[in-house]
Structure formats: structure tokens, C-alpha cells
Amino acid sequence: MTLGKKETDIIVIGSGVGGLIAGLTALEHGHEVQIISKGKGASIMSAGVIDVCGYYPKGDLCLEPMKGIKAWGKDSRHLFNNLGLGKNINAGLDFFKKQVATGGLSYVGNTEKNMLLPTILGTIKPTCLAPYTAADGDLGNIEGRVGLVGFKHFPEFSPSLATASLKEQFSLTDTYNPGKNVNWEPITLDLAEVSKRPYASPMEVAEMFDRQEVFEILLDKLSCLLKEDRWDCIGLPPVMGFLRAEENIRNLKSELAMPVFELLPLSPSIPGFRLLHSLEECYHLKSGRRSEQNFSVISLKSRNGKIELTGLFRGKEHKLVANCCILATGGYIGGGLQPGSGKIMVSVLEHILEISPDGLFQEQFFPADGHRALGMGLGVNNNLQPLDSDGGLLLPNLFAAGDVLGGYDFVRELSGFGVAIVSGFLAGENASIILEQGDGSV
Amino acid sequence: MAKEFEVVVVGGGTTGTAVVRDLAMRGIKNVLLLEKEDLAAGTSGRCHSNLHGGGRYIVSDIETAKECLHENRILRRIAPHTIDPTDGLYLAVDEEGLEYTEEFIKNADAIGMYYRELDPKEVMGEEPLLSRNVLRALETHDAGFDPFRLSVSQAIDAQRRGATIWIHHEVTKINVSGGKVTTLEIRDNLTGAEKTVHTRFVVNAAGPWSGRVCATAGIDIPMKPDKGTCVVYNFRLARPMVHILRMPTDGDALVSMGYQSTTILGTTSGEIVEPDQAQPTLAEVERMEACIAPAFPMIKQAKRLRYFSGVRPLCQAGPATGREISRRLILIDHNEVHGVEGFITITGGKFATARLMAKVAVDRVCTHLGIDKQCNTHLELLPGAETRDNVEKKGRELAKKYYLPFYATQKLAARYGSEADDILSQYPEQAYIVCQCCQVMAAEVVHAIRKEGACTINDIRRRTRIGMGTCQGANCLPKVAAIYQKYKGSTPQDTRKEMINFLQQRWKGIFALDIQSNSISHAVRLQAVYGVLANLPELRPGYCGKGGEEE
């Protein structure tokens, strides 16, 4: 596969959720977009749900994400202010829902109220948008006798331990006890395809369920089970297929005539893969291209009012030129923020972030006020244009989105993909406007 | 009714477990080993994992070299399953090294220590990360080893011979009456329960905490706990253990862990600290890297995974610094020195000489108790001891029988020796790999809980090495916790709290490591997996709180 054109309207560096949404937004405006990246990044590790705001600054659970955003936004330095506080969220999330739908996945949820979804460990996670495959697990809606189904020789999920854990979870709030009336029960099915070897990995099982014949056997076994006994809902581990998961869950719901859901994953995450895959598919359908994942940017410069990138692609040096560039290179895991020589460097820009003398992390694994490192990143203005230490623009025609940004803490807030999507959407919009105005102003 | 034991041993490191094994082998079976945390959780588990064969001290301290040489040979015979299948490599990389090499060879010949001169060009060819300036190279019988497996093996042997082992039990007071030891007061650190035992004799093998144990009997001894720091790298820098030929200094040796893809650089000395307050520092790491750089010029680019400190139980009255105090073993008979009968402290020494220290201690116990029995610990094999030749064959058999990767089964056979078959046959449903980074099987985790006395997830870690590789628990911890929950019967909440204890312990060795390492992305990954994906409720400060708007 060749690199494509050398000169284009907008280049997005980074093909995680932030970069893909930024690119798709610019495409929507009718511009030519090229998405390049060094590797896979951290997005694939996600649980496949979109967190907007799951906890308040004091650590209490947040059930209304808009309120949560306001609470964090009280600190004027918080990134939520640059994102317009609540203003742009619905636009960004609605855009996201349309893109993943084009790519073959449905997402549900809204910013009025968080869903509370059970994980494969039997813990509970607040989130704003969830894929169709997980949505029926919302503890706010679940009731009756719920069977959590595991498979013989699939030790990655233990239904008995998950049910024990969910039963033990005390009320999450004084007045709100979601899942209180749920009767959790473990079920173990022996599917020959899964149990033929002593151990099946999540990837292997997901591949199996992409096959019609294996799905039919599962459906058959579950149907028999439901004839014998009364069940109100079925929960499954998050391995119900790579490409056919949504179809499988839809069929199960219809054939079994009850809610059916996947639990949220840990690592590896098949739903995380599905999310990225659907965004890539959407990009492909709309542009005819795919993101170029072997391009390592060596330098980024402003030249004649455009942005010139030099990079290594398959061992050779290439130059790319664009009118605008969106940096969505990620945080520490994705490689957008890199340690070196006692400082943190923003990749590609070679911009240095100063570290507080108190260090990057605290000794306590999960301190109440969060780790400094997680709040660090590129500073931007309200247009998502990166700023230097004096508050001036680092480069004209440059925007940034996603975890490369500073001023927020996705662990403490549970806000990761929400920030990626809204900032990607805004960066894509703003880059498009610059092009449309043609004079560099936004 | 308080229990009564003939002898109580305090301290469950290599020395204490060797003592209780020796006692049991000499027929004194009604013995109790008390360990405040876990076997080898103290100094023994924080060593360089470097089983000296004498090479390090051959020029600077030939008496210690002789002891190490002698003990190394014994350990290779009785505990081959705890020793790595690699040898030592000593390199001269400059003029000073060449002179030193001559001294080395002269002394080695004098005491009969094995060495073989290798062709530097061949050595450099086999080890691509080595300096291109290797002038001379000697192969020796130093080896890497697993201090946890050695201590556990000794403890299990002692148990099978009738000894009692209580881990997570701490001595709070040694009662003395009429100039004799009478009872010990003990606290169970996991439950808080308090117990009392009667005994005739106490052997204090508590390492750098020996001073604290003596203090509970109102005795003061001149301990000089000396800190030694090591840093772990995220890949294997060389196949054998590598030393530089020169007078012992900081950062002399790189030990690549047996059957693992990590390497330990160690160690430092010279700082006297309270044993519970030993903190590794970046300055030490940088110093060690500067010292090993002549042999490994690329060390600065190597990715540091974590670092840790151990504390040596040096003991001597006087102002000498750590390296000058001899590491010779020291036996303090408190009857002779403090008028307290039935109480001895055994301290000092090297890891390699723990068995010898135990012999010295137990000889004294026997004299006191009027028992005339010889020490045979050098003759009897430890449980699981298996020669290296059988290991490969067994590995292949197990790989075929259980559909497992050969690397993992060979490692299992090497580490558990003759017990490897039993582990898999007893838990065939757990014949799968639960920790990918270190290729640990779920069956080993069950075995650690059921047969090796593991009470916490950290205890499981020491016995099996789960979470000690690249991911530091990001991938394997939930699965290990599930096994823990099932076989310990703990509540889901207690299991999550145990997971957090484990993570906190791992975090200590990562969080302050210089950002010039890989540790930032590992650290963030741990936060993401447990704080975001798993969203463990016990991590959140507001957990079980109101869940509404806070003002």
C-alpha cells in the first residue's frame, strides 16, 4: 500500500479515537484528510465504552455527567473549560454515534444520566455511552433473575466469582441502589469448541463466535436452559465475536426474548478492538482510505503558511505537506508524551513539559488528589491550538486532541474517550474552519 | 493453653529456614519457625539473586571466597532446582582489570576455585550487548538463583520432617526469667490475634531485624543494617551472569534471571538504615549504571522496570563502613555475653553461606540441649531437587501431555524438579498460563496456596513470580486474584483489597523511578487497568459515599 498523496488539506497524526474522530469531522466538511500514526496506541486497550465524567473531584460517584463536568470545570485550568464545558459535548457524541454506526456498531446512552455497567470482575463502572452489546447490563434497568454465563476451559471469566462480587456490592449511593433487586446466578456452559483444549483465550473465543455454527450451538444451549428454568436476563463475557458481536447479541435477544448483554472487559479488550475497527471502517467508507499505521514523524515545521512533516515510512524518509495538522498522538501509553532527560517531551513537536519538583507520581497507588503525571500534557487555547510557555501559538495551523492534552485526568475523572471525542470533534471543526476561511484565523 | 516448642527460630529467610531444616534433620522436630511477613520477604528476597561461587571475593577477602566456594558446590548438589542454568562471566575491560585478573587467577588456583579462560572475541560475538573492548574473559561457577524458591524448599523440607512454620507471625516479646528464656509473645499480623509459646531455646535469625528481636528480650546488639539497592531491566542483557574484574564496588554485576526476561543490576553499599526504611534512590541507580557501563556501554538506554532495596545484617561495634565490615558470619551466644540462657543470634554472612550459618547455630543449640547429632544438610537433597538433564526430558513430556508451550513446561520442571508432575496432575484444570510475562501456570498458583503456605497474593508472587515481569500485574493480577478467591474462600471485597495491597507493593518500586525508563507507561497502564477498566471501588476515596453532587 502506498502512502497516498504528498500534499493534502489536513493531516491527523494519531489513529486512536481522538485522531479518527478529528479526521472524520474534517471529512464531513468536505476536506481531504490523511491520518497517519506510528502504531496502535492506547485506544485499543479501552473497554469500548465512552466515559464523559464518572466521578466528582471529591471522589464521589457521578451519575449526571453534565453536573460532573461543571464541578471539574470550576478549576479554570481544567481542560473541560477549553472544550466549552457542556456546550459541545452532545454535538461531539452525536457525531461519534453516527460514525460508529456507519462503521457497523451501534452506541446508546446520553449525557443526562450515566449507565452503571458490570465488568467481567464483578465490579461496577459508570459510563456515558455504551455499545449495543453491553447496554442491557445497565444496573439502572436490570431486574429479576440474571444468569452470568461462563464457558468451560475459559478461565478468563469466572461466573461464580463475578456473581459473588455483584451480590456483595453494597448500595452505591444512599438513595440509589441500582441492581438491588437483581438475583445474580452463575451458569457454566460446556461448548465443545471452547473446551476442546484445556484453555481458550479471549481472542480465540471471540473468533469462534464470529462463526455462525458456533453461535448456533450457543443459542441452542441457552434456549434449552431457559426452557428448564425461569430467567429474566443473560449476561455473557465480552468475547461474543470480533465482527459479529452486535448481530449475535441482537439474535440472542430476539430468540430468547429477554435482555442480553456483554460484561465490560479488562485486558485484552475485544470491545475496544471493535470500537477502533468501526471507526476505521467508517473512515474507509467515507474517504476510500485507511489510516497509515507505519509512519513515524521525525519533524514538523511550518513552511510557507503550511505544515511540513518529515517522517519514516517503511524505512524511507518521506515529506508530507498539509494546510492544517491535528496532533492526536496520545499520552504516555500511546507515546505522545515521552520521558527523556528528566523531562517530558511532547512527541513530534519536541515541546518540553516542565515537571514539578514534587515528581510525577505519588507513593500511594491511588491517591485522592490524583497523580501529577496524569494531569500533564500539551496546553491549548479554546480553539485547541497548542500554546507555548508564554501563551502564544506553538505553530499556526496546528491543533491537538486526545490524551496528548493536559489539564485533565482520565483515571480520576473517568473521562477518557469523552475528552478524545469532543476534542477530536472540535479540532476537526476548527481546522476545517481555518481552511474555509483561508486566512489562518479561526 | 500455650503451645510448647523445644526450639523457636525467629526469621524466615534463607538462614532461618536452613536452621529449622537442620534442627528437624537432627531429630529436633518440635520446632517452630516464626516469620513476621513471608518466607524470604526480608533481606533474602531483596538480594541480587547472585549465588557467589567465590569469584567476587577472591582478591579482596579470600576467607569469604573459600566459604562461598564450598557452599556454592553444596547448593548446586542439594538444590539445583533453585539455581539458574547459566554460569558466571568475569570480564577485564581495562588496564586495572588486567592486573586484577592476574591476582584473581593466582588466588583461584590457591583455593581450587573453578575458572576457565575464554577467548574475548568469542565472548563478544556471543553477547552482542557487551563492550567491544573485552580484554580477558573468565568463566566461573557463580550463578543466578531464586532466593524465594530456596527458602521455600528449605521450609517445606523442615515441615515434612515435623517442623511447624508460622508466617505473618511477629515476635513482640521474649520473656526471660531467672536468666533463661521462658516464653515468646507473638502477634498474627494478618488477624491481629496474640499468642504465647513456651520454649527452651530461641535462635534469632531475623537478619537486619535481629537487633529488634533482641530488644524484645531487653538485649542490645550492635547491628549495622547496610542498604543494598538493585535495579531491574525489562529484558535480558546477557545470557550468563556478568561481573567486571576489579575490586568489589557498586554496580559490579548483572544477573539475568533464570527463565525470565529480566536482568538485575546490583548492588550498592555503605549506607546504614533502619531495615523498614530502606528506600532505593536514583543516585544509586545512576552510580551503578556508571560502574557497569565499561562492560555494557548501552546500559543507559536499557529500560528500567523497577528498583528495590535490601538491607544486609551486618554486625560489628565500631565505625567501619559496610564494605569494610567483614561479611563473615557472627554467632552471639547471649548466655555468654548477656547472661540470658537459651538465646543465640546468628547473623552476618552471605546468602551463599546460609546453610553454613545454620550449621554453626544448630551445633550450638545441640550442645546446649545435650544432643549429639551431626549436621547432614550438605548431604540430603532438598524436595524437588532434580538434575538439569532430566529437566528437558520432563519439560517435553509435560508439554505434550498438557498442550502447553515447551518453554513453560521446561521452566516448571526446572523450578519444581520432581514435583512438577504432581503440580499439573493434581490441578489439571489449571494447566494453563496465568502470567504470560513470566510463564507461570495457574496450577503453580493453586499449589502455592494449598501446599506452600501462601496467605496473601504477595506470598503467591514470591513463590511463583507472577507479576514480576513486564506487566507488573496489569495483565495477570485479576486472574491470580480469582484463583486466590476460590482457593482461600475469601470474600470478593477482601480479594479486591488484597489486589490493591499487591499493586501498592509493586507501585513502590516503580513510582519514583526516573522517567528515563519505561516505567512511566507501565505505571499509567496499571492506573488504567485497575482505576478505569476494573474501577475497583476500594480505590476511590468516596467509595460507598453519597454518589450525588458534592458542593
Side-chain angles (χ1 to χ4, degrees):
Chain A
M1 204 205 267
T2 58
L3 196 47
K5 283 181 68 169
K6 297 268 165 82
E7 184 153 344
T8 191
D9 286 340
I10 296 179
I11 288 180
V12 179
I13 308 177
S15 62
V17 168
L20 286 165
I21 291 293
L24 286 165
T25 306
L27 264 186
E28 196 78 357
H29 279 257
H31 299 296
E32 241 182 30
V33 174
Q34 193 166 20
I35 305 180
I36 57 175
S37 74
K38 198 161 87 170
K40 272 253 174 283
S43 285
I44 201 155
M45 265 181 64
S46 84
V49 292
I50 309 300
D51 293 343
V52 168
C53 184
Y55 284 94
Y56 285 107
K58 286 202 187 114
D60 292 339
L61 184 72
C62 172
L63 294 167
E64 293 162 285
M66 295 305 238
K67 282 195 180 159
I69 288 174
K70 262 186 41 205
W72 288 101
K74 282 187 188 150
D75 180 343
S76 58
R77 298 165 302 176
H78 198 283
L79 180 68
F80 286 160
N81 292 304
N82 304 96
L83 300 179
L85 276 185
K87 267 198 305 182
N88 299 305
I89 292 191
N90 286 321
L93 295 183
D94 284 343
F95 180 74
F96 164 80
K97 280 186 193 173
K98 290 203 187 79
Q99 306 314 301
V100 283
T102 304
L105 272 194
S106 315
Y107 268 71
V108 302
N110 60 71
T111 53
E112 298 304 306
K113 190 167 180 211
N114 273 332
M115 298 161 81
L116 289 167
L117 298 178
T119 72
I120 200 171
L121 253 192
T123 53
I124 296 166
K125 193 182 130 95
T127 196
C128 185
L129 301 185
Y132 171 85
T133 45
D136 277 355
D138 186 3
L139 291 176
N141 297 331
I142 246 184
E143 48 186 25
R145 193 169 177 233
V146 181
L148 291 189
V149 178
F151 305 117
K152 187 171 172 208
H153 290 180
F154 181 59
E156 304 271 339
F157 173 51
S158 164
S160 56
L161 298 180
T163 50
S165 178
L166 286 165
K167 276 185 211 173
E168 194 201 42
Q169 305 266 308
F170 34 76
S171 59
L172 293 173
T173 79
D174 284 345
T175 50
Y176 179 52
N177 302 329
K180 186 174 163 193
N181 297 318
V182 175
N183 181 11
W184 303 98
E185 301 247 9
I187 299 171
T188 302
L189 292 185
D190 186 354
L191 289 185
E193 191 69 14
V194 176
S195 61
K196 65 185 179 192
R197 289 265 188 101
Y199 169 80
S201 74
M203 315 289 264
E204 286 169 337
V205 177
E207 260 173 4
M208 289 172 201
F209 283 120
D210 267 355
R211 288 190 269 139
Q212 179 74 16
E213 63 273 19
V214 181
F215 171 74
E216 298 281 343
I217 294 171
L218 172 70
L219 175 56
D220 205 49
K221 286 207 180 240
L222 284 175
S223 301
C224 292
L225 199 86
L226 297 175
K227 286 201 185 82
E228 289 165 21
D229 226 338
R230 207 210 123 205
W231 297 91
D232 298 304
C233 177
I234 293 290
L236 293 154
V239 290
M240 303 317 296
F242 275 107
L243 301 175
R244 288 184 46 135
E246 193 168 301
E247 190 182 331
N248 286 343
I249 298 290
R250 204 181 298 276
N251 285 343
L252 283 173
K253 284 170 64 150
S254 140
E255 297 290 326
L256 303 178
M258 66 177 58
V260 176
F261 65 93
E262 278 188 334
L263 296 154
L264 293 187
L266 291 181
S267 180
S269 167
I270 312 292
F273 166 88
R274 294 178 204 144
L275 168 55
L276 265 193
H277 176 83
S278 71
L279 287 175
E280 281 276 359
E281 271 309 295
C282 176
Y283 176 62
H284 180 63
L285 286 166
K286 291 191 169 179
S287 71
R289 284 169 153 170
R290 294 196 184 274
S291 69
E292 202 50 75
Q293 282 178 16
N294 286 305
F295 196 104
S296 176
V297 177
I298 305 172
S299 80
L300 187 155
K301 290 196 192 73
S302 180
R303 195 188 284 276
N304 303 326
K306 297 188 193 231
I307 302 249
E308 183 187 87
L309 286 182
T310 312
L312 271 181
F313 177 65
R314 296 189 181 166
K316 286 211 189 111
E317 211 178 82
H318 288 262
K319 278 207 192 327
L320 295 176
V321 175
N323 289 310
C324 280
C325 180
I326 302 176
L327 194 76
T329 43
Y332 303 103
I333 297 173
L337 299 176
Q338 277 181 1
S341 315
K343 296 190 194 291
I344 297 200
M345 199 176 63
V346 180
S347 316
V348 173
L349 299 183
E350 309 214 337
H351 175 69
I352 303 289
L353 300 175
E354 292 296 330
I355 299 171
S356 144
D358 298 321
L360 287 171
F361 294 101
Q362 297 188 48
E363 182 164 356
Q364 196 183 346
F365 177 65
F366 208 86
D369 52 350
H371 293 289
R372 252 160 256 108
L374 296 176
M376 288 176 70
L378 198 52
V380 290
N381 62 16
N382 290 352
N383 296 324
L384 297 189
Q385 293 169 296
L387 304 172
D388 60 28
S389 43
D390 301 318
L393 293 187
L394 258 184
L395 272 175
N397 304 354
L398 180 68
F399 298 85
D403 203 19
V404 70
L405 300 175
Y408 82 109
D409 179 337
F410 74 90
V411 176
R412 215 177 142 208
E413 299 153 15
L414 283 193
S415 57
F417 274 165
V419 165
I421 288 170
V422 176
S423 62
F425 178 70
L426 288 176
E429 291 269 304
N430 293 340
S432 300
I433 291 169
I434 267 198
L435 284 184
E436 283 143 29
Q437 287 177 347
D439 63 354
S441 63
V442 182
Chain B
M1 245 282 281
K3 292 191 105 166
E4 188 152 340
F5 293 94
E6 192 96 39
V7 182
V8 174
V9 181
V10 182
T14 33
T15 309
T17 51
V19 168
V20 77
R21 175 181 182 239
D22 196 345
L23 285 168
M25 279 176 73
R26 298 200 213 188
I28 309 167
K29 293 171 188 294
N30 188 20
V31 297
L32 170 67
L33 174 69
L34 293 170
E35 160 52 54
K36 72 173 171 62
E37 195 182 342
D38 181 24
L39 302 179
T43 304
S44 297
R46 292 160 183 283
C47 69
H48 195 178
S49 291
N50 179 350
L51 191 70
H52 291 304
R56 182 171 165 78
Y57 300 104
I58 194 87
V59 172
S60 61
D61 183 350
I62 201 163
E63 289 304 311
T64 297
K66 268 199 232 165
E67 260 170 26
C68 287
L69 171 60
H70 185 245
E71 291 300 311
N72 182 302
R73 285 182 181 145
I74 292 171
L75 274 174
R76 277 173 177 263
R77 190 177 60 244
I78 68 171
H81 56 311
T82 64
I83 296 175
D84 296 343
T86 60
D87 286 312
L89 185 63
Y90 280 77
L91 305 175
V93 292
D94 54 24
E95 273 301 313
E96 184 209 335
L98 285 177
E99 288 172 26
Y100 185 88
T101 308
E102 290 301 325
E103 281 290 306
F104 185 105
I105 287 175
K106 194 174 86 196
N107 287 9
D109 287 337
I111 69 168
M113 186 185 90
Y114 168 84
Y115 68 91
R116 181 170 73 103
E117 179 125 28
L118 303 173
D119 176 3
K121 283 203 193 62
E122 268 182 42
V123 170
M124 288 186 284
E126 273 173 22
E127 296 295 341
L129 297 177
L130 271 185
S131 148
R132 299 294 97 184
N133 199 39
V134 175
L135 303 173
R136 286 185 85 170
L138 303 176
E139 177 190 84
T140 67
H141 276 160
D142 298 82
F145 75 115
D146 187 326
F148 307 104
R149 291 306 311 166
L150 179 57
S151 304
V152 168
S153 274
Q154 287 178 159
I156 287 177
D157 197 23
Q159 265 180 321
R160 289 182 185 171
R161 295 172 192 273
T164 305
I165 312 238
W166 291 354
I167 60 172
H168 297 286
H169 280 71
E170 185 166 354
V171 172
T172 53
K173 195 149 192 301
I174 298 178
N175 290 313
V176 178
S177 174
K180 273 194 200 176
V181 165
T182 53
T183 60
L184 282 85
E185 283 163 50
I186 300 161
R187 180 182 58 233
D188 178 338
N189 279 334
L190 290 181
T191 65
E194 299 193 336
K195 306 174 187 176
T196 306
V197 303
H198 293 275
T199 189
R200 291 176 62 187
F201 209 100
V202 174
V203 177
N204 178 14
W209 291 271
S210 296
R212 194 179 303 174
V213 172
C214 282
T216 71
I219 290 173
D220 186 36
I221 58 171
M223 291 301 295
K224 284 209 178 287
D226 177 68
K227 181 176 73 158
T229 291
C230 292
V231 55
V232 184
Y233 297 93
N234 199 15
F235 64 108
R236 225 181 154 84
L237 270 69
R239 198 186 46 83
M241 198 176 80
V242 178
H243 264 279
I244 295 188
L245 281 162
R246 64 180 173 209
M247 290 300 276
T249 175
D250 291 349
D252 265 338
L254 267 182
V255 182
S256 289
M257 303 304 294
Y259 302 101
Q260 307 294 302
S261 56
T262 51
T263 298
I264 299 183
L265 172 63
T267 177
T268 59
S269 182
E271 196 187 327
I272 307 300
V273 295
E274 274 303 303
D276 291 322
Q277 280 157 31
Q279 264 289 100
T281 66
L282 284 175
E284 289 176 285
V285 173
E286 278 158 20
R287 199 161 71 232
M288 288 194 282
E289 287 180 348
C291 285
I292 202 79
F296 284 92
M298 42 55 70
I299 194 76
K300 282 240 107 336
Q301 282 99 39
K303 290 180 169 178
R304 302 171 195 155
L305 184 59
R306 65 182 292 108
Y307 60 180
F308 59 90
S309 292
V311 185
R312 298 176 186 85
L314 302 188
C315 179
Q316 188 188 63
T321 64
R323 274 202 203 288
E324 289 164 36
I325 294 175
S326 162
R327 275 108 151 92
R328 303 300 306 288
L329 62 90
I330 293 166
L331 174 70
I332 305 174
D333 189 333
H334 298 291
N335 193 18
E336 290 164 11
V337 182
H338 302 104
V340 175
E341 204 183 318
F343 188 24
I344 61 173
T345 293
I346 181 83
T347 189
K350 307 274 329 144
F351 202 120
T353 58
R355 188 208 63 88
L356 181 61
M357 287 168 66
K359 173 180 181 302
V360 166
V362 177
D363 282 345
R364 183 62 61 106
V365 176
C366 285
T367 304
H368 181 93
L369 296 181
I371 293 171
D372 180 21
K373 279 276 177 65
Q374 296 280 44
C375 171
N376 282 335
T377 55
H378 59 300
L379 297 175
E380 301 230 12
L381 303 186
L382 281 178
E386 183 95 1
T387 68
R388 286 186 193 174
D389 307 320
N390 290 346
V391 160
E392 192 182 318
K393 178 160 161 274
K394 179 159 295 170
R396 289 198 191 281
E397 282 167 16
L398 293 173
K400 204 167 157 195
K401 185 171 173 191
Y402 293 96
Y403 298 100
L404 290 164
F406 173 52
Y407 179 82
T409 52
Q410 183 175 32
K411 175 186 145 293
L412 184 82
R415 282 168 59 85
Y416 293 89
S418 45
E419 323 225 292
D421 294 277
D422 290 339
I423 291 174
L424 289 180
S425 64
Q426 265 167 44
Y427 313 111
E429 291 287 301
Q430 275 80 32
Y432 64 89
I433 293 176
V434 70
C435 169
Q436 287 287 345
C437 301
C438 298
Q439 297 282 292
V440 182
M441 312 238 203
E444 293 176 59
V445 174
V446 183
H447 180 76
I449 297 170
R450 280 240 167 120
K451 300 277 169 63
E452 295 188 339
C455 299
T456 69
I457 299 184
N458 273 316
D459 295 349
I460 296 171
R461 170 182 61 82
R462 286 180 204 102
R463 287 155 181 70
T464 61
R465 294 193 66 87
I466 56 108
M468 291 177 83
T470 307
C471 86
Q472 296 288 297
N475 292 330
C476 60
L477 180 61
K479 291 175 270 199
V480 172
I483 298 173
Y484 174 83
Q485 189 173 342
K486 178 172 173 183
Y487 287 92
K488 286 300 271 183
S490 67
T491 66
Q493 184 167 81
D494 283 342
T495 302
R496 288 193 300 270
K497 286 182 179 169
E498 250 305 289
M499 286 172 72
I500 293 170
N501 284 342
F502 180 89
L503 290 167
Q504 183 63 63
Q505 197 277 340
R506 293 282 87 188
W507 190 251
K508 270 184 74 175
I510 299 172
F511 84 97
L513 202 55
D514 186 15
I515 59 166
Q516 203 144 5
S517 65
N518 207 23
S519 59
I520 262 200
S521 75
H522 290 314
V524 175
R525 208 148 166 249
L526 284 174
Q527 296 286 319
V529 171
Y530 297 101
V532 178
L533 294 180
N535 195 31
L536 297 180
E538 290 79 10
L539 288 176
R540 301 274 169 184
Y543 119 95
C544 199
K546 296 204 187 71
E549 163 65 320
E550 36 151 78
E551 284 305 335

